[in-house]
Amino acid sequence: MARKAMHVGHQPGPVQSPCDAAKARKKAPDSSCPAVQQACRTLAAAKEETRHYAAGLLAYGGLLFAAGAAAWSLPLLFVVFTAVCMPWRAVSFYRQKWVFFLIDFCYFVNIATAVFLVFLPNNAKLEAMVYALADGPIAGALVAWQCPWVFGSGEHTVSVLMHLLPGLAMFAHRHFTPSGLRGWRGIAQHAAHLLQGHSTPTGTVPPLAYPALKLLWLVAAPLLFYSVWQLLYFVIVRVLYDGGAESAHNYNISSKGS
């Protein structure tokens, strides 16, 4: 029996399965196209802003809850915030060549507050000085500098908390924090209790202590602290680097000039 002739030029193509068609539709567009590159950058920026917004909103809600339901925990929250965000801010500013912003007054007060809460929580003299600094110029700078809490910006969230948390932590330490949660020993004991399932700190709030010379430690000592910082800042920014470094001082001058 003679075989039927087959026309090679008219052979049917391979049958494409539904899976192959789906894979073809899911192929990424040409990444060399400028429009595609711009769209990818926009999408990545939107995702990053969404994550920052969620983190800022969580921090805002968590702070409100802690202040209302467990005010005694605010000093501990401040210590954790300082331990995490201070190194992050240092690395971030170093990469952006903003190192001299790290010697602004708020950083010195944050460090002084953390040192008091962790190492010297029962020193009435140091408490009076740090209390005046944290609840005075640092908290007031939020209004003077018109510092907004922008949920979508990690930098704004950290800046607001750096000016807001020290004063809240000092107020809570004086009026709400029990003896079992004061200093590094109290923090370590509370951490051990948390591992055992006990969330409430032990002890009672100590009676209010006042230094012998109130005006000296509430007024003169904070002014001396500020004067020493101002002299150090002037020597570093205006003398050693002759005003050429990127700092808050130069930023203020350029802003007023514009």
Side-chain angles (χ1 to χ4, degrees):
M1 182 182 293
R3 296 181 179 178
K4 294 183 179 180
M6 296 182 65
H7 299 281
V8 178
H10 297 283
Q11 287 182 352
V15 178
Q16 190 178 32
S17 65
C19 293
D20 294 334
K23 291 180 180 179
R25 288 194 300 269
K26 289 184 178 180
K27 284 184 178 180
D30 187 8
S31 59
S32 62
C33 178
V36 174
Q37 294 178 354
Q38 181 62 34
C40 292
R41 287 193 295 266
T42 304
L43 180 61
K47 290 182 177 179
E48 186 71 15
E49 184 178 357
T50 301
R51 287 192 291 266
H52 286 168
Y53 188 93
L57 189 60
L58 182 63
Y60 180 77
L63 180 60
L64 290 180
F65 176 80
W72 51 265
S73 66
L74 289 176
L76 180 59
L77 290 178
F78 169 76
V79 171
V80 173
F81 167 80
T82 304
V84 174
C85 291
M86 279 290 190
W88 174 79
R89 175 58 68 91
V91 172
S92 176
F93 278 16
Y94 177 80
R95 290 176 177 175
Q96 300 178 71
K97 298 181 179 180
W98 293 348
V99 179
F100 289 94
F101 283 93
L102 296 174
I103 60 174
D104 286 349
F105 187 61
C106 59
Y107 293 94
F108 281 72
V109 176
N110 273 261
I111 293 174
T113 305
V115 169
F116 165 75
L117 293 174
V118 175
F119 299 107
L120 300 166
N122 299 316
N123 190 313
K125 297 177 181 179
L126 184 60
E127 179 182 14
M129 184 190 75
V130 175
Y131 197 107
L133 291 169
D135 281 288
I138 295 301
L142 287 172
V143 179
W145 288 77
Q146 300 180 2
C147 188
W149 192 330
V150 182
F151 292 152
S153 171
E155 295 289 350
H156 283 82
T157 298
V158 173
S159 295
V160 170
L161 291 176
M162 285 184 61
H163 290 81
L164 184 64
L165 274 181
L168 293 177
M170 290 302 300
F171 181 84
H173 171 84
R174 184 167 178 82
H175 298 283
F176 298 104
T177 304
S179 57
L181 194 57
R182 297 196 172 204
W184 66 270
R185 290 187 179 89
I187 295 175
Q189 292 176 0
H190 184 63
H193 291 162
L194 286 177
L195 295 177
Q196 298 174 1
H198 305 289
S199 59
T200 304
T202 59
T204 58
V205 180
L208 298 180
Y210 298 91
L213 302 174
K214 294 182 182 180
L215 291 180
L216 174 63
W217 293 101
L218 285 173
V219 179
L223 288 176
L224 179 62
F225 184 94
Y226 177 82
S227 300
V228 172
W229 166 81
Q230 187 68 76
L231 178 61
L232 178 65
Y233 189 89
F234 177 81
V235 170
I236 294 176
V237 175
R238 303 298 299 171
V239 177
L240 296 181
Y241 289 89
D242 196 20
E246 186 72 20
S247 63
H249 175 77
N250 293 342
Y251 176 80
N252 292 336
I253 293 177
S254 61
S255 299
K256 292 179 180 179
S258 60

